[in-house]
Amino acid sequence: MSDAIEMLIEGRARDLGGFSVRRILPYAKRRMVGPFIFLDEMGPAVFPPGEGIDVRPHPHIGLATVTYLFEGELTHKDSLGFDQVIRPGDVNWMTAGRGITHSERTGPEARAGTLHMHGIQSWVALPKSDEQTAPAFHHHKGATLPEIAEGGATLRLIAGKAYGATSPVAVFSDIFYLHVEAPAGSEFEPPTEYAERAIYVVSGDVTVAGEPVPPQRLVVLGEGAAAPISARADARLMLLGGAAMDGPRHICWNLVASDEALIEEAKRDWSEGPAKGWAGPRFTLPPGESEFIPLPKD
């Protein structure tokens, strides 16, 4: 393997109640890449008319969730009152901070016909100074995101800075996150200015630093290493990373924190939610929702 490649991680299939995802991060030997602490490829999946995704309300702390679709659509509802449909190329950035609740479902219009779903969901850990910030939600249309041409490939900057461009998505740390469509014959270099970098091959036939990389693999790059990406056939990639985090993070279910005590407090607050009629200071249900995902027992 090339010296430029620090690690190769194969996504692991997970069945979320009839909907397949491929879990890439966290990995036993690599918990984070920059602030990215969670990375899932959703689908590709096909839902017949009348069916779809129903992720009931659940809590988050200490992170920002980032949803980005290649196909399909999802309706996001959260405890701040936001009700937003996301479609391919758009970005949903939800800052959990000290605590937020949200659901993700297929809306009635999308359920009316056959639905093709495919996308990437990630969690970005917040710096310690922002772990307890106020929760927030922002939606960005795909047309507002910078598009960059590099070596024949088209790169859309989802968040952060890269190749001299800056995404309109507000972030809390040094980060880059790009969706790449690389036609056969294209070749380009990933950003080199960040300490931690990775390439996720969604589809296609590519080499990284001369090494063939199959789809559904995350290539973790060595710091500062040149690692040219070449597409031998049309390919779709995600480039991601940033500055190293300010210390390790603990993960329990949907909760992330630098201090396990913060997670224990959040678990208690979520467990007590039904008895309090969801009138607590931290977690409430999104308007119009009555279902919720209970705290796992394990």
Side-chain angles (χ1 to χ4, degrees):
M1 186 177 293
S2 167
D3 291 341
I5 297 176
E6 183 179 303
M7 185 180 298
L8 197 63
I9 299 172
E10 182 175 0
R12 294 137 286 153
R14 295 286 187 273
D15 184 354
L16 302 184
F19 181 60
S20 175
V21 301
R22 193 167 292 276
R23 181 71 39 82
I24 305 126
L25 290 176
Y27 181 64
K29 296 180 180 179
R30 186 76 192 213
R31 307 300 291 176
M32 288 187 282
V33 176
F36 287 87
I37 195 168
F38 180 93
L39 195 67
D40 261 6
E41 180 181 357
M42 305 181 295
V46 180
F47 293 95
E51 296 187 13
I53 296 172
D54 281 297
V55 180
R56 294 170 292 161
H58 55 279
H60 289 288
I61 65 166
L63 55 85
T65 66
V66 191
T67 302
Y68 187 85
L69 299 181
F70 308 126
E71 293 183 283
E73 66 175 61
L74 275 175
T75 298
H76 160 99
K77 292 184 179 181
D78 64 41
S79 49
L80 300 177
F82 288 96
D83 186 338
Q84 178 66 56
V85 176
I86 182 172
R87 295 184 173 90
D90 298 344
V91 175
N92 274 4
W93 179 287
M94 185 183 75
T95 302
R98 63 176 174 264
I100 196 169
T101 304
H102 77 134
S103 65
E104 291 173 299
R105 301 182 186 269
T106 302
E109 291 186 9
R111 288 179 194 263
T114 300
L115 178 66
H116 294 257
M117 281 294 302
H118 191 195
I120 302 286
Q121 287 198 312
S122 56
W123 295 353
V124 175
L126 298 178
K128 292 178 183 178
S129 58
D130 295 301
E131 279 187 299
Q132 296 294 295
T133 194
F137 175 82
H138 296 93
H139 175 80
H140 297 267
K141 290 284 189 182
T144 67
L145 303 178
E147 280 201 351
I148 303 154
E150 286 285 328
T154 301
L155 299 82
R156 173 170 286 175
L157 185 58
I158 297 170
K161 298 180 180 180
Y163 303 101
T166 301
S167 168
V169 177
V171 296
F172 292 83
S173 57
D174 290 336
I175 184 177
F176 72 99
Y177 191 24
L178 296 126
H179 166 209
V180 182
E181 294 291 344
S186 57
E187 182 170 328
F188 62 99
E189 281 273 358
T192 57
E193 64 267 30
Y194 294 94
E196 300 187 3
R197 303 170 296 153
I199 303 158
Y200 182 64
V201 180
V202 180
S203 62
D205 185 356
V206 304
T207 64
V208 177
E211 298 285 342
V213 180
Q216 284 83 54
R217 303 297 195 280
L218 183 76
V219 183
V220 181
L221 300 177
E223 183 173 355
I229 302 167
S230 299
R232 301 187 293 190
D234 292 355
R236 172 177 285 159
L237 316 168
M238 306 299 285
L239 309 185
L240 57 108
M245 283 301 292
D246 54 356
R249 292 298 187 271
H250 303 280
I251 302 178
C252 179
W253 189 35
N254 300 308
L255 312 171
V256 169
S258 61
D259 185 344
E260 287 185 289
L262 295 174
I263 290 177
E264 292 304 314
E265 290 172 6
K267 287 166 61 177
R268 183 181 64 248
D269 289 349
W270 184 250
S271 296
E272 293 176 352
K276 295 181 177 179
W278 299 107
R282 190 201 298 252
F283 297 124
T284 60
L285 295 184
E289 293 275 16
S290 57
E291 297 181 304
F292 63 93
I293 301 176
L295 182 73
K297 293 181 180 180
D298 295 330

